[in-house]
Amino acid sequence: MALNQDFLGKVYPAGPAYEVGREKIREFAIAIGDMNPAYHDVHHARSLGHRDVIAPPTFPFVVSMRASAVAMFDPGLGLDYSRVVHGEQRFAYRRPVTAGDSLVVVTTIENIRVAAGNDILTTRSDISTDDGELVVTTWAVTVARGTAEGSA
Amino acid sequence: MSASVAWADVEVGTELPALTVRLQRVNLVMYAGASGDFNPIHWNQRFAQAVGLPDVIAHGMLTMASAGRVVTDWVGDPGSVVEYGVRFTRPVVVPDDDRGATLEITASVAEKRDDNLVRIDITAKFDDATVLGKAQAVVRLV
């Protein structure tokens, strides 16, 4: 079944804030095998001009994942989650996510299309501090294989 | 934000130091825990094979994070990354053995822009085939 085009442009308002802690950043950095001192050592991060340790460039996905899942699982949208693959991910940063940030995520369904029998959904998540400073925007492209109308 | 590479010192075609990343099952388990992505295709061989995969595969976001290191290791301050994006074109299969999967990451300066910006194009290969498409980062140099 094709995705419901009525959901194009739908905005999912921010839920509870994500509190970014130093140890979470370190845990994430270790999990990706990255010992860059900007993620681990507060003094080093400050010597680079950051307020505290910063998070690796892909960390905002962790922050946005819950919010974008709310959009993807929106029952009326019609995405067959059993057949989805992650097609694409992109980030545009105003500044790095930094320990101590309290972040909220607003997700928008930015594009719905069909290509080669696949439903393709693009969500945009704007990640801001809870006092309104935009930190990073991330786009996720999700592909549901062979679910579009008329496909086998 | 202070990168350690000067914009004036790089040209289109300048190659970044290459990076080899080995991913084993333990790395996928660690990434699942740290990211909160517990999709069983990344840790459960029975499940992965039942949905048609040859074996457990790495999280796309772990591959993206690994590939991004070629840029952040070079530039020094990861806070100098202005944009980063990839397409996931082929899964990275991680067998349950002592070798795991090996990613070969290379990158070069593809474009110089105003405001000390450069675009870096990244190639990530596993088993001699690229696993990311259009992998690009925009970085602000000094």
Side-chain angles (χ1 to χ4, degrees):
Chain A
M1 196 181 81
L3 296 180
N4 186 346
Q5 285 285 342
D6 293 345
F7 282 67
L8 187 60
K10 183 167 178 184
V11 178
Y12 297 82
Y18 184 105
E19 308 284 344
V20 182
R22 285 179 187 164
E23 294 302 341
K24 186 66 200 183
I25 288 176
R26 290 177 182 136
E27 178 193 19
F28 183 84
I30 290 167
I32 62 168
D34 198 332
M35 299 312 290
N36 191 310
Y39 309 142
H40 298 274
D41 176 351
V42 178
H43 298 291
H44 182 83
R46 288 187 178 145
S47 76
L48 297 171
H50 304 299
R51 191 186 68 237
D52 206 312
V53 290
I54 63 170
T58 60
F59 181 78
F61 183 77
V62 175
V63 179
S64 68
M65 200 165 56
R66 237 172 306 170
S68 56
V70 171
M72 283 167 54
F73 286 112
D74 193 334
L77 176 62
L79 187 71
D80 181 354
Y81 196 72
S82 68
R83 308 179 76 161
V84 303
V85 293
H86 196 175
E88 197 172 330
Q89 191 71 32
R90 190 154 66 86
F91 301 90
Y93 311 90
R94 293 286 180 88
R95 66 163 174 83
V97 167
T98 305
D101 281 341
S102 181
L103 299 173
V104 291
V105 185
V106 175
T107 296
T108 306
I109 293 186
E110 196 167 86
N111 196 17
I112 296 173
R113 64 193 177 90
V114 172
N118 301 321
D119 281 313
I120 303 175
L121 172 73
T122 304
T123 57
R124 187 187 83 231
S125 293
D126 294 304
I127 303 175
S128 310
T129 62
D130 55 10
D131 48 16
E133 177 203 2
L134 179 64
V135 177
V136 50
T137 297
T138 184
W139 291 264
V141 177
T142 302
V143 180
R145 288 171 299 176
T147 55
E149 217 116 272
S151 65
Chain B
M1 321 291 151
S2 46
S4 58
V5 180
W7 187 83
D9 291 342
V10 303
E11 300 298 335
V12 170
T14 297
E15 292 193 10
L16 280 58
L19 186 66
T20 299
V21 176
R22 194 162 65 146
L23 297 178
Q24 293 178 277
R25 287 287 179 87
V26 64
N27 303 109
L28 274 51
V29 171
M30 288 168 71
Y31 188 79
S35 69
D37 182 346
F38 293 102
N39 187 328
I41 61 172
H42 304 305
W43 55 268
N44 183 328
Q45 182 170 335
R46 273 181 300 114
F47 185 91
Q49 291 178 339
V51 298
L53 293 165
D55 204 333
V56 160
I57 62 169
H59 301 73
M61 292 305 297
L62 176 57
T63 303
M64 183 180 188
S66 302
R69 264 172 61 201
V70 79
V71 174
T72 52
D73 283 358
W74 175 69
V75 79
D77 179 3
S80 350
V81 178
V82 174
E83 288 174 33
Y84 181 34
V86 306
R87 289 180 184 160
F88 303 102
T89 54
R90 188 175 277 116
V92 175
V93 180
V94 181
D96 182 19
D97 61 21
D98 293 335
R99 289 174 49 233
T102 301
L103 294 173
E104 301 291 347
I105 320 286
T106 54
S108 62
V109 176
E111 185 188 349
K112 290 184 81 174
R113 299 182 183 170
D114 293 343
D115 298 327
N116 285 12
L117 296 174
V118 292
R119 192 189 92 216
I120 310 293
D121 286 3
I122 303 167
T123 302
K125 286 190 171 179
F126 161 68
D127 268 355
D128 290 325
T130 58
V131 292
L132 299 177
K134 222 184 163 200
Q136 299 181 341
V138 176
V139 184
R140 178 165 286 115
L141 303 179
V142 290

